[in-house]
Structure formats: C-alpha cells, structure tokens
Amino acid sequence: AGTSAPLLANEDGEIVSGVEERKEVVKTFYSELYKETKCMQMPEWMDLVPEDMEGWDQISWWDGTKVRETVMRLAKNKTAGQDGVSAEMLQAMDEPSCELVAAYFREVLKKGSDAYHNGDAFGPQLITLLPKKPGAHKCGDFRPIAIVPLLFKSFSYMLFCEAERFLQPLRVPQYAFRRFHQAHDAIMLLSMLIEKYEEWRAPHWFILDGDITKAYDYTRHEDVAQVLDTQGIPRPLIVGWVLAWTVSY
C-alpha cells in the first residue's frame, strides 16, 4: 500500500524521507501490531475452500441486480482508490457490466484466501497518516486513513447485507455527537445529576465515562469466527468476513 506522511521515523528512531522507506516503516509497524491475527489458531474448517464448506447453499447468489443496489448507495464526489475507479463510474455501469462484477465477487468468495492473497483481489490501498499531536514522527503518533478501492467497499457491503439475513441488529444508545444527531439521553442524564447535586447540596460530584481501549484492534478474530459459527452463520460467509478484516490494513 502507498503511504503519505511528512516525517516518519523507523524502529531505530531515524527519520526516513524516501517513499519506499516510509512504505516499509508503515508496513512493519502495522504488521507487528496485527501479527497475532496472522498467527492465531483459526477453526480447522477455515482452511477449506468456501465453495466446499457446509452452508454454501445458504448464501444467496449475488447477481447484477444486487451489485447495482450496492453501488448506488456509494457516496458521490469521494476520492477514488489507486485504481482510479470512482463511485460515479460504478453507478454508470450497464447491466452486463454489473453481471461481470457480480461474477467476480462470487469467484472471490468461492476461492477464499487464495483469491485475497494470490493476486491482490482488489488492488492496493493508499494510507494517509494524519498526525495526532504536534511533532509527530513515529507511526503510533499518526491516525491512519485508508483509501480503499471502491470495488472492495462494494464487496464488503454485500457481505454486510448478507449478514442481515442471519443476525439480529443490535441497537444501543448513541451518546456520541454526530452530524444530524443530538445526544438527548446524555443531556437528560447530566441535567438529573445537576438537579440531585443542588438538591442534596453535595460538596462534590463526579461523572465517569468508560471506554474500552483499542477494543477493535485487539479483538481475536478466531473467537469471533467460533461465536458466529455457533449462531448458525454459514461458514463461507464467516470466511469472507475474516479475510476482509485481515487484509484491509
């Protein structure tokens, strides 16, 4: 994958400026961060070709109609990936083109890890590093923003849509401040605390907000695969998800 950063230091703390050197620094950092993913003990059935797995017949066949429905949901006027393919280009595809893309997606899912690792199924990704603090020069000081090919986004979204047929959506209160959303529950709770503080004339009052540090970075994919399998999710679909997670960094 390509990378963009003003100043970057290697493991020895030396600043590197060459494009290839910076690529290697970023690759080494994230490979080390996610090395457990590569070494974990996945269930034995994960080694099979998805087409030969139990549950292959439960997956609805992806056709050109589903591809068109997916690409029409892509946001317009966004940066294209390294392949130069934009959302507008995919949305302008005719019916035969959509059928060709659907056939390719089915082939990727059938072959599993071979399709991902032996031929770079969706092309390279561009990683832009945004500094999280002044004077950033180590990889850990940057927040990575990946620009992935839109074909990969479409493939991932189709995997997500397939999940809706087997998993129940989990809805929890959202306290984050997001565009077009207001944190009514959070404001109500704060108002109640302030009222109780004044009513009881308490000398002090405290609010604790908990969060799980790096929850997604340290989630073991093998545990996720086993839990999904016990929930009756078709195994080929699980393989598609896990491979998408492990090759998208």
Side-chain angles (χ1 to χ4, degrees), residues 53-127:
M53 288 181 180
E54 178 183 353
W56 177 255
D57 57 343
Q58 299 181 42
I59 298 179
S60 60
W61 283 102
W62 296 347
D63 54 17
T65 301
K66 288 192 175 182
V67 169
R68 175 163 295 280
E69 292 176 354
T70 299
V71 298
M72 294 306 293
R73 297 189 181 188
L74 296 174
K76 298 180 180 180
N77 301 319
K78 296 294 184 179
T79 303
Q82 290 287 82
D83 56 6
V85 178
S86 65
E88 289 81 359
M89 294 171 62
L90 293 178
Q91 292 168 354
M93 291 190 301
D94 55 14
E95 184 176 348
S97 299
C98 289
E99 291 294 343
L100 284 175
V101 173
Y104 182 69
F105 284 174
R106 293 196 300 267
E107 195 66 19
V108 170
L109 188 59
K110 285 182 181 179
K111 292 183 178 180
S113 59
D114 290 340
Y116 279 91
H117 300 296
N118 299 339
D120 204 2
F122 296 102
Q125 303 178 23
L126 177 65
I127 300 177

Side-chain angles (χ1 to χ4, degrees), residues 185-200 205:
D185 292 339
I187 294 175
M188 182 187 70
L189 290 173
L190 288 173
S191 299
M192 291 176 60
L193 286 173
I194 294 174
E195 291 175 0
K196 292 297 182 182
Y197 167 76
E198 294 179 346
E199 178 183 351
W200 296 342
W205 67 300

Side-chain angles (χ1 to χ4, degrees), residues 86-237:
S86 65
E88 289 81 359
M89 294 171 62
L90 293 178
Q91 292 168 354
M93 291 190 301
D94 55 14
E95 184 176 348
S97 299
C98 289
E99 291 294 343
L100 284 175
V101 173
Y104 182 69
F105 284 174
R106 293 196 300 267
E107 195 66 19
V108 170
L109 188 59
K110 285 182 181 179
K111 292 183 178 180
S113 59
D114 290 340
Y116 279 91
H117 300 296
N118 299 339
D120 204 2
F122 296 102
Q125 303 178 23
L126 177 65
I127 300 177
T128 300
L129 301 179
L130 304 180
K132 296 187 290 186
K133 61 181 181 180
H137 62 277
K138 297 181 180 180
C139 277
D141 298 335
F142 293 87
R143 177 176 291 106
I145 303 296
I147 301 177
V148 300
L150 288 180
L151 279 177
F152 179 72
K153 283 187 177 181
S154 302
F155 178 79
S156 300
Y157 186 76
M158 292 184 75
L159 285 174
F160 169 76
C161 292
E162 195 72 17
E164 294 181 333
R165 299 176 52 238
F166 303 97
L167 294 176
Q168 294 182 350
L170 179 62
R171 293 183 174 87
V172 296
Q174 294 289 330
Y175 294 144
F177 289 90
R178 298 175 297 158
R179 188 181 182 184
F180 303 128
H181 290 78
Q182 297 182 8
H184 296 293
D185 292 339
I187 294 175
M188 182 187 70
L189 290 173
L190 288 173
S191 299
M192 291 176 60
L193 286 173
I194 294 174
E195 291 175 0
K196 292 297 182 182
Y197 167 76
E198 294 179 346
E199 178 183 351
W200 296 342
R201 300 182 180 276
H204 306 285
W205 67 300
F206 303 91
I207 299 176
L208 301 179
D209 181 20
D211 193 7
I212 302 177
T213 303
K214 299 291 183 181
Y216 295 102
D217 290 344
Y218 295 102
T219 299
R220 296 178 62 87
H221 295 156
E222 57 182 315
D223 295 337
V224 175
Q226 291 175 353
V227 170
L228 290 174
D229 189 40
T230 60
Q231 295 295 317
I233 308 301
R235 289 178 173 179
L237 194 57

Side-chain angles (χ1 to χ4, degrees), residues 4-8 15-17 22 129 131 136 142:
S4 173
L7 293 175
L8 206 59
I15 301 297
V16 296
S17 57
R22 287 189 293 173
L129 301 179
F142 293 87

